[in-house]
């Protein structure tokens, strides 16, 4: 039986700009939206699009992600033919093992996985973006244009264009030029890191690229420019829905805030396009008589006894009596102690904030805060215990390697 398309999902990113949140897990495994993980979005898009053969390429800190994926049952990807497969780097007989040296090299190392399905096309995705997209429509577009490669694109603010692969396309969508993260972009049409290739053609280009010792083995830097230079038909597929690269603390916080409100920017209450996840086996959330929760998401197993405003509270989290949580994200099983104040913060999984502490307070005179990664968002890593009466200034980062000492006055 021949599979028309195989999906390869790149999920091995270290996510260094997410700081302590990815110290023990790959970026696609980071919690999002009260009950999800980032990787739930591309996996759910695959299922909703009717694509059921997915290779998940892992590399950095894969344990949490591998355990989370399991057999793929929670995304209806536990199939007799096809399904979801975890694909880490490996060593073959007579070769020296190596990490994936680039996005194209990751696919090349797993060419035998793709070959066994003998597909016409391969869809390549990133595991760290938040969006809803019908890949079947993109495949139809690719086939109608008789393209060798189709790249999903969206318009980004000009000030952000230098962070992306930027392309120029004519009125019919055919790509005329491509620049990877240009200093002076000529267009604001940005690659979303979503590609459809004719498999046999891509395989030939990757083989040539792998033989070049000077290559970065990257789609944006090497494969796509090589195909353009050779005159291959390449088209831009326009996307106009919600899409966010949650590769920074600021963008992760903003994307979670986008879920709030009566008409959220990203609507997860959508029966026509469900986002599937691995649900924890927990009782319903509990909001006590002393609690107040407004404009917030509170997931199953959470207990709220304090005040929660404009925040996202994950499963198993506990906001104790007298605590005030505002504009914040409380990850799974974290505890916010009695009479704690948390403002514009992210509190990592299993962390405990001691009673009468302050998170996100003003920077005090003489205090130095390294907020290069966080801006004005206070970040508490996973498995951190903050002692009682601690004062953590806005933008500060606390992890298990630099535990914060209690302040004299909270």
């Amino acid at each position: 039986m021949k599979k028309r398309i195989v999906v390869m999902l790149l999920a091995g990113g270290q996510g260094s700009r997410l700081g302590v949140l990815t110290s023990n897990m790959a970026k696609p495994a980071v919690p999002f939206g009260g009950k999800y993980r980032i990787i739930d979005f591309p996996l759910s898009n695959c299922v909703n699009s009717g694509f059921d053969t997915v290779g998940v390429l892992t590399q950095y800190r894969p344990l949490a992600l591998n355990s989370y994926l399991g057999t793929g049952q929670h995304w209806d990807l536990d199939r007799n033919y096809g399904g979801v497969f975890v694909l880490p780097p490996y060593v073959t007989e007579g070769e020296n093992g190596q990490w994936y040296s680039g996005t194209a090299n990751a696919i090349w190392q797993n060419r035998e996985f793709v070959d066994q399905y003998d597909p016409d096309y391969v869809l390549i995705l990133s595991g760290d973006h938040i969006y809803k997209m019908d890949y079947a429509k993109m495949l139809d577009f690719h086939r109608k244009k008789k393209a060798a490669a189709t790249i999903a694109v969206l318009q980004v603010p000009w000030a952000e264009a230098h962070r992306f692969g930027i392309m120029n396309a004519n009125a019919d969508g055919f790509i005329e030029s491509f620049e990877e993260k240009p200093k002076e972009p000529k267009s604001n049409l940005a690659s979303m890191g979503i590609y459809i290739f004719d498999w046999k053609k891509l395989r030939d280009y990757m083989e040539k690229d792998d033989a070049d010792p000077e290559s970065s083995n990257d789609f944006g830097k090497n494969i796509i420019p090589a195909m353009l230079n050779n005159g291959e038909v390449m088209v831009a597929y326009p996307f106009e829905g919600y899409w966010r690269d949650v590769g920074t603390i600021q963008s992760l916080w903003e994307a979670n805030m986008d879920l709030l409100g009566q008409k959220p920017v990203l609507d997860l209450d959508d029966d026509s396009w469900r986002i599937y996840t691995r649900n924890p086996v927990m009782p319903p959330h509990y909001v006590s008589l002393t609690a107040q929760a407004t404009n917030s998401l509170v997931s199953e197993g959470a207990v709220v006894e304090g005040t929660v405003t404009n925040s996202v509270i994950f499963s198993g989290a506990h906001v104790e009596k007298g605590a005030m949580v505002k504009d914040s994200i409380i990850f799974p099983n974290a505890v916010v102690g009695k009479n704690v104040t948390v403002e514009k913060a992210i509190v990592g999984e299993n962390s405990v904030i001691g009673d009468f502490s302050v998170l996100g307070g003003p920077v005090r005179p003489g205090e130095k805060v390294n907020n290069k990664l966080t801006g004005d968002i206070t970040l508490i890593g996973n498995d951190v215990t903050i002692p009682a009466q601690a004062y953590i200034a806005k933008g500060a980062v606390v992890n298990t390697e630099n535990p914060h000492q209690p302040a004299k006055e909270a």
Side-chain angles (χ1 to χ4, degrees), residues 18 138 161 168 195 221 252 256 291 301 341 352 370 391 393:
L18 288 179
M138 183 177 174
N168 291 295
Y195 315 112
K221 295 177 181 178
L252 179 66
N256 275 275
T341 299
V352 178
N370 182 358
Y391 186 96

Side-chain angles (χ1 to χ4, degrees), residues 90-323:
Y90 63 94
V91 179
T92 58
E93 186 177 356
E95 295 182 0
N96 293 322
Q98 62 175 4
W99 294 113
Y100 298 140
S101 58
T103 53
N105 177 257
I107 305 300
W108 176 246
Q109 285 198 40
N110 289 283
R111 59 194 179 277
E112 292 180 359
F113 168 80
V114 180
D115 283 340
Q116 68 180 325
Y117 295 101
D118 189 24
D120 296 312
Y121 313 102
V122 61
L123 168 64
I124 297 171
L125 306 174
S126 174
D128 50 12
H129 298 154
I130 302 297
Y131 64 111
K132 296 188 288 186
M133 181 177 181
D134 189 344
Y135 304 133
K137 291 181 179 179
M138 183 177 174
L139 178 59
D140 288 342
F141 182 87
H142 175 87
R143 295 173 64 192
K144 289 176 181 177
K145 294 289 186 179
K146 298 180 180 179
T150 297
I151 302 173
V153 299
L154 80 168
Q155 290 187 328
V156 298
W158 279 94
E160 298 292 322
H162 67 280
R163 296 179 49 237
F164 297 89
I166 297 295
M167 60 204 71
N168 291 295
N170 64 23
D172 295 320
F174 293 98
I175 298 171
E176 297 176 339
S177 65
F178 179 89
E179 294 181 278
E180 180 70 8
K181 298 181 180 179
K183 292 182 179 180
E184 297 181 1
K186 301 174 183 177
S187 165
N188 68 337
L189 202 60
S191 169
M192 299 169 63
I194 300 171
Y195 315 112
I196 292 179
F197 292 97
D198 286 5
W199 171 241
K200 290 182 179 178
K201 188 156 287 189
L202 175 61
R203 201 183 192 287
D204 290 341
Y205 275 94
M206 289 192 301
E207 185 173 11
K208 294 174 184 176
D209 183 72
D210 186 66
D212 181 2
E214 302 299 319
S215 175
S216 300
N217 306 127
D218 184 83
F219 284 109
K221 295 177 181 178
N222 307 108
I223 300 295
I224 292 172
M227 294 182 76
L228 275 175
N229 290 339
N230 286 342
E232 301 286 0
V233 177
M234 307 183 74
V235 293
Y237 177 75
F239 178 76
E240 297 180 351
Y242 181 94
W243 178 88
R244 190 182 283 273
D245 179 350
V246 286
T248 66
I249 294 299
Q250 185 71 31
S251 62
L252 179 66
W253 181 86
E254 289 174 352
N256 275 275
M257 295 299 109
D258 285 344
L259 303 176
L260 302 177
Q262 290 185 341
K263 295 182 179 180
V265 180
L266 176 60
D267 182 14
L268 297 180
D269 188 15
D270 181 0
D271 289 338
S272 67
W273 202 267
R274 292 186 179 275
I275 303 302
Y276 299 97
T277 188
R278 185 170 184 167
N279 283 314
V281 181
M282 289 188 174
H285 69 266
Y286 173 70
V287 179
S288 76
L289 291 173
T290 61
Q292 183 177 358
T294 57
N295 195 44
S296 298
L297 296 179
V298 182
S299 194
E300 58 263 56
V303 175
V304 177
E305 298 178 284
T307 300
V308 174
T309 306
N310 203 57
S311 296
V312 177
I313 312 298
F314 278 78
S315 57
H318 191 168
V319 178
E320 296 188 355
K321 190 174 181 179

Side-chain angles (χ1 to χ4, degrees), residues 352-405:
V352 178
I353 313 302
D355 297 348
F356 296 96
S357 292
V358 173
L359 267 63
V363 178
R364 298 183 293 192
E367 185 176 11
K368 293 182 179 180
V369 174
N370 182 358
N371 64 348
K372 183 178 180 180
L373 287 177
T374 56
D376 61 349
I377 300 168
T378 305
L379 177 60
I380 309 299
N382 302 318
D383 304 300
V384 172
T385 298
I386 302 293
Q389 301 183 33
Y391 186 96
I392 314 293
K394 66 172 63 177
V397 178
V398 182
N399 61 34
T400 54
E401 296 178 356
N402 67 335
H404 195 279
Q405 297 300 317

Side-chain angles (χ1 to χ4, degrees), residues 65-87:
L65 184 60
N66 294 354
S67 299
Y68 181 70
L69 292 174
T71 63
Q73 175 186 0
H74 303 282
W75 303 269
D76 192 28
L77 287 171
D78 52 338
R79 307 294 181 90
N80 291 330
Y81 186 80
V84 65
F85 302 84
V86 175
L87 303 173

Side-chain angles (χ1 to χ4, degrees), residues 37-55:
R37 303 273 170 169
I38 295 172
I39 199 171
D40 288 332
F41 288 81
L43 284 177
S44 297
N45 289 339
C46 288
V47 173
N48 291 329
S49 301
F51 297 169
D52 58 11
T53 302
V54 184

